[in-house]
CSV table of all heavy atoms in Angstrom, one decimal:
chain,number,residue,atom,x,y,z
A,26,ALA,N,-6.4,43.6,-42.3
A,26,ALA,CA,-7.5,43.8,-43.1
A,26,ALA,C,-7.1,44.6,-44.4
A,26,ALA,O,-7.6,44.3,-45.5
A,26,ALA,CB,-8.6,44.6,-42.3
A,27,GLU,N,-6.3,45.5,-44.2
A,27,GLU,CA,-5.8,46.3,-45.4
A,27,GLU,C,-5.1,45.4,-46.4
A,27,GLU,O,-5.3,45.5,-47.6
A,27,GLU,CB,-4.8,47.4,-44.9
A,27,GLU,CG,-4.3,48.3,-46.0
A,27,GLU,CD,-3.4,49.4,-45.4
A,27,GLU,OE1,-3.8,50.1,-44.5
A,27,GLU,OE2,-2.2,49.4,-45.8
A,28,ILE,N,-4.3,44.5,-45.9
A,28,ILE,CA,-3.6,43.5,-46.8
A,28,ILE,C,-4.6,42.6,-47.5
A,28,ILE,O,-4.5,42.3,-48.7
A,28,ILE,CB,-2.6,42.6,-46.0
A,28,ILE,CG1,-1.5,43.4,-45.5
A,28,ILE,CG2,-2.2,41.4,-46.8
A,28,ILE,CD1,-0.6,42.8,-44.4
A,29,LEU,N,-5.7,42.3,-46.8
A,29,LEU,CA,-6.7,41.4,-47.4
A,29,LEU,C,-7.7,42.2,-48.3
A,29,LEU,O,-8.5,41.6,-49.0
A,29,LEU,CB,-7.5,40.7,-46.3
A,29,LEU,CG,-6.7,39.7,-45.5
A,29,LEU,CD1,-7.5,39.2,-44.3
A,29,LEU,CD2,-6.3,38.5,-46.3
A,30,GLY,N,-7.7,43.5,-48.2
A,30,GLY,CA,-8.6,44.3,-49.0
A,30,GLY,C,-10.0,44.4,-48.4
A,30,GLY,O,-11.0,44.6,-49.2
A,31,ILE,N,-10.1,44.3,-47.1
A,31,ILE,CA,-11.4,44.3,-46.4
A,31,ILE,C,-11.3,45.3,-45.3
A,31,ILE,O,-10.3,45.8,-44.9
A,31,ILE,CB,-11.9,43.0,-45.9
A,31,ILE,CG1,-10.9,42.4,-44.9
A,31,ILE,CG2,-12.1,42.0,-47.1
A,31,ILE,CD1,-11.4,41.1,-44.3
A,32,GLY,N,-12.5,45.6,-44.7
A,32,GLY,CA,-12.5,46.5,-43.5
A,32,GLY,C,-12.1,45.8,-42.2
A,32,GLY,O,-12.2,44.6,-42.1
A,33,LYS,N,-11.6,46.6,-41.3
A,33,LYS,CA,-11.1,46.0,-40.0
A,33,LYS,C,-12.2,45.2,-39.3
A,33,LYS,O,-12.0,44.1,-38.9
A,33,LYS,CB,-10.6,47.1,-39.1
A,33,LYS,CG,-10.2,46.7,-37.7
A,33,LYS,CD,-9.8,47.8,-36.8
A,33,LYS,CE,-9.5,47.4,-35.4
A,33,LYS,NZ,-9.1,48.5,-34.6
A,34,TRP,N,-13.4,45.8,-39.2
A,34,TRP,CA,-14.5,45.1,-38.5
A,34,TRP,C,-15.0,43.8,-39.3
A,34,TRP,O,-15.4,42.9,-38.7
A,34,TRP,CB,-15.7,46.0,-38.3
A,34,TRP,CG,-15.3,47.0,-37.2
A,34,TRP,CD1,-15.0,48.4,-37.4
A,34,TRP,CD2,-14.9,46.8,-35.9
A,34,TRP,NE1,-14.6,48.9,-36.3
A,34,TRP,CE2,-14.5,48.0,-35.3
A,34,TRP,CE3,-15.0,45.6,-35.1
A,34,TRP,CZ2,-14.1,48.1,-34.0
A,34,TRP,CZ3,-14.6,45.8,-33.7
A,34,TRP,CH2,-14.2,47.0,-33.2
A,35,GLU,N,-14.9,43.9,-40.6
A,35,GLU,CA,-15.2,42.6,-41.4
A,35,GLU,C,-14.2,41.5,-41.0
A,35,GLU,O,-14.6,40.4,-40.9
A,35,GLU,CB,-15.1,43.0,-42.9
A,35,GLU,CG,-15.6,41.8,-43.8
A,35,GLU,CD,-15.6,42.2,-45.2
A,35,GLU,OE1,-15.4,43.4,-45.6
A,35,GLU,OE2,-15.7,41.3,-46.1
A,36,LEU,N,-12.9,41.9,-40.9
A,36,LEU,CA,-11.9,40.9,-40.5
A,36,LEU,C,-12.2,40.4,-39.1
A,36,LEU,O,-12.1,39.2,-38.8
A,36,LEU,CB,-10.5,41.5,-40.6
A,36,LEU,CG,-9.4,40.5,-40.2
A,36,LEU,CD1,-9.3,39.3,-41.1
A,36,LEU,CD2,-8.1,41.3,-40.2
A,37,ILE,N,-12.5,41.3,-38.2
A,37,ILE,CA,-12.8,40.9,-36.8
A,37,ILE,C,-13.9,39.9,-36.8
A,37,ILE,O,-13.9,38.9,-36.0
A,37,ILE,CB,-13.0,42.1,-35.9
A,37,ILE,CG1,-11.7,42.9,-35.7
A,37,ILE,CG2,-13.6,41.8,-34.6
A,37,ILE,CD1,-11.8,44.3,-35.1
A,38,GLU,N,-15.0,40.2,-37.5
A,38,GLU,CA,-16.1,39.3,-37.6
A,38,GLU,C,-15.8,38.0,-38.2
A,38,GLU,O,-16.3,36.9,-37.8
A,38,GLU,CB,-17.3,40.0,-38.4
A,38,GLU,CG,-17.9,41.1,-37.6
A,38,GLU,CD,-19.0,41.9,-38.4
A,38,GLU,OE1,-19.1,41.6,-39.6
A,38,GLU,OE2,-19.6,42.8,-37.9
A,39,LEU,N,-14.9,38.0,-39.2
A,39,LEU,CA,-14.5,36.8,-39.8
A,39,LEU,C,-13.7,35.9,-38.8
A,39,LEU,O,-14.0,34.7,-38.7
A,39,LEU,CB,-13.6,37.0,-41.1
A,39,LEU,CG,-12.9,35.8,-41.7
A,39,LEU,CD1,-13.9,34.9,-42.3
A,39,LEU,CD2,-11.9,36.3,-42.8
A,40,TYR,N,-12.8,36.5,-38.1
A,40,TYR,CA,-12.0,35.8,-37.1
A,40,TYR,C,-13.0,35.2,-36.0
A,40,TYR,O,-12.8,34.1,-35.6
A,40,TYR,CB,-10.9,36.6,-36.5
A,40,TYR,CG,-9.7,36.8,-37.3
A,40,TYR,CD1,-9.0,38.0,-37.3
A,40,TYR,CD2,-9.2,35.8,-38.2
A,40,TYR,CE1,-7.8,38.1,-38.0
A,40,TYR,CE2,-8.1,35.9,-38.9
A,40,TYR,CZ,-7.4,37.1,-38.9
A,40,TYR,OH,-6.2,37.3,-39.6
A,41,ASP,N,-13.9,36.0,-35.6
A,41,ASP,CA,-14.9,35.6,-34.6
A,41,ASP,C,-15.7,34.4,-35.1
A,41,ASP,O,-15.9,33.4,-34.4
A,41,ASP,CB,-15.8,36.8,-34.3
A,41,ASP,CG,-16.7,36.4,-33.1
A,41,ASP,OD1,-16.2,36.0,-32.0
A,41,ASP,OD2,-18.0,36.5,-33.3
A,42,SER,N,-16.1,34.4,-36.4
A,42,SER,CA,-16.9,33.3,-36.9
A,42,SER,C,-16.0,32.0,-37.0
A,42,SER,O,-16.5,30.9,-37.0
A,42,SER,CB,-17.4,33.6,-38.3
A,42,SER,OG,-16.4,33.6,-39.3
A,43,LEU,N,-14.7,32.2,-37.0
A,43,LEU,CA,-13.8,31.1,-37.1
A,43,LEU,C,-13.3,30.6,-35.7
A,43,LEU,O,-12.5,29.7,-35.5
A,43,LEU,CB,-12.5,31.4,-37.9
A,43,LEU,CG,-12.8,31.7,-39.4
A,43,LEU,CD1,-11.6,32.2,-40.1
A,43,LEU,CD2,-13.3,30.4,-40.1
A,44,GLY,N,-13.8,31.3,-34.6
A,44,GLY,CA,-13.5,30.9,-33.3
A,44,GLY,C,-12.4,31.7,-32.6
A,44,GLY,O,-11.8,31.3,-31.6
A,45,PHE,N,-12.0,32.8,-33.2
A,45,PHE,CA,-10.9,33.6,-32.7
A,45,PHE,C,-11.5,35.0,-32.3
A,45,PHE,O,-11.5,35.9,-33.1
A,45,PHE,CB,-9.8,33.8,-33.7
A,45,PHE,CG,-9.2,32.6,-34.2
A,45,PHE,CD1,-9.5,32.1,-35.5
A,45,PHE,CD2,-8.3,31.8,-33.4
A,45,PHE,CE1,-9.0,30.9,-35.9
A,45,PHE,CE2,-7.8,30.7,-33.9
A,45,PHE,CZ,-8.1,30.2,-35.2
A,46,PRO,N,-11.9,35.1,-31.0
A,46,PRO,CA,-12.5,36.4,-30.6
A,46,PRO,C,-11.5,37.6,-30.6
A,46,PRO,O,-10.3,37.4,-30.4
A,46,PRO,CB,-13.0,36.1,-29.2
A,46,PRO,CG,-12.1,35.0,-28.7
A,46,PRO,CD,-11.7,34.2,-29.9
A,47,TYR,N,-12.1,38.7,-30.8
A,47,TYR,CA,-11.3,40.0,-30.8
A,47,TYR,C,-10.8,40.2,-29.4
A,47,TYR,O,-9.7,40.6,-29.2
A,47,TYR,CB,-12.2,41.1,-31.3
A,47,TYR,CG,-11.4,42.4,-31.4
A,47,TYR,CD1,-10.4,42.6,-32.3
A,47,TYR,CD2,-11.8,43.5,-30.6
A,47,TYR,CE1,-9.7,43.8,-32.4
A,47,TYR,CE2,-11.2,44.7,-30.7
A,47,TYR,CZ,-10.1,44.9,-31.6
A,47,TYR,OH,-9.5,46.1,-31.7
A,48,LEU,N,-11.7,40.1,-28.4
A,48,LEU,CA,-11.3,40.3,-27.0
A,48,LEU,C,-11.1,38.9,-26.4
A,48,LEU,O,-12.0,38.0,-26.5
A,48,LEU,CB,-12.5,41.0,-26.2
A,48,LEU,CG,-12.8,42.4,-26.6
A,48,LEU,CD1,-14.0,42.9,-25.8
A,48,LEU,CD2,-11.6,43.3,-26.4
A,49,ASN,N,-9.9,38.7,-25.9
A,49,ASN,CA,-9.6,37.3,-25.5
A,49,ASN,C,-9.4,37.3,-24.0
A,49,ASN,O,-8.7,36.4,-23.4
A,49,ASN,CB,-8.4,36.7,-26.2
A,49,ASN,CG,-7.2,37.6,-26.1
A,49,ASN,OD1,-7.2,38.6,-25.4
A,49,ASN,ND2,-6.1,37.2,-26.7
A,50,GLN,N,-10.0,38.2,-23.3
A,50,GLN,CA,-9.9,38.2,-21.8
A,50,GLN,C,-11.0,37.4,-21.2
A,50,GLN,O,-12.1,37.3,-21.7
A,50,GLN,CB,-10.0,39.7,-21.3
A,50,GLN,CG,-8.9,40.5,-21.6
A,50,GLN,CD,-9.0,41.9,-21.1
A,50,GLN,OE1,-10.0,42.6,-21.3
A,50,GLN,NE2,-8.1,42.4,-20.3
A,51,THR,N,-10.7,36.8,-20.1
A,51,THR,CA,-11.8,36.0,-19.3
A,51,THR,C,-12.7,37.1,-18.6
A,51,THR,O,-12.3,38.2,-18.4
A,51,THR,CB,-11.1,35.1,-18.3
A,51,THR,OG1,-10.5,35.9,-17.3
A,51,THR,CG2,-10.1,34.2,-18.9
A,52,PRO,N,-13.9,36.6,-18.3
A,52,PRO,CA,-14.7,37.5,-17.5
A,52,PRO,C,-14.1,38.0,-16.2
A,52,PRO,O,-14.3,39.1,-15.8
A,52,PRO,CB,-16.0,36.7,-17.2
A,52,PRO,CG,-16.0,35.7,-18.3
A,52,PRO,CD,-14.5,35.4,-18.6
A,53,GLU,N,-13.3,37.1,-15.6
A,53,GLU,CA,-12.6,37.5,-14.3
A,53,GLU,C,-11.6,38.6,-14.6
A,53,GLU,O,-11.4,39.6,-13.8
A,53,GLU,CB,-11.9,36.3,-13.7
A,53,GLU,CG,-12.8,35.3,-13.2
A,53,GLU,CD,-13.4,34.3,-14.3
A,53,GLU,OE1,-12.8,34.2,-15.4
A,53,GLU,OE2,-14.4,33.7,-14.0
């Protein structure tokens, strides 16, 4: 995020909108 000049949570939300979740664990 720092490299991109945005906030960490903004980047996490961007990745999430692109289909890359922050948490990638299964419910199990």
Side-chain angles (χ1 to χ4, degrees):
E27 186 179 297
I28 291 167
L29 295 169
I31 61 175
K33 175 182 175 181
W34 291 110
E35 187 178 350
L36 178 63
I37 290 169
E38 289 174 357
L39 174 63
Y40 283 148
D41 186 56
S42 73
L43 295 170
F45 302 104
Y47 183 66
L48 296 176
N49 58 2
Q50 291 180 306
T51 66
E53 293 80 20

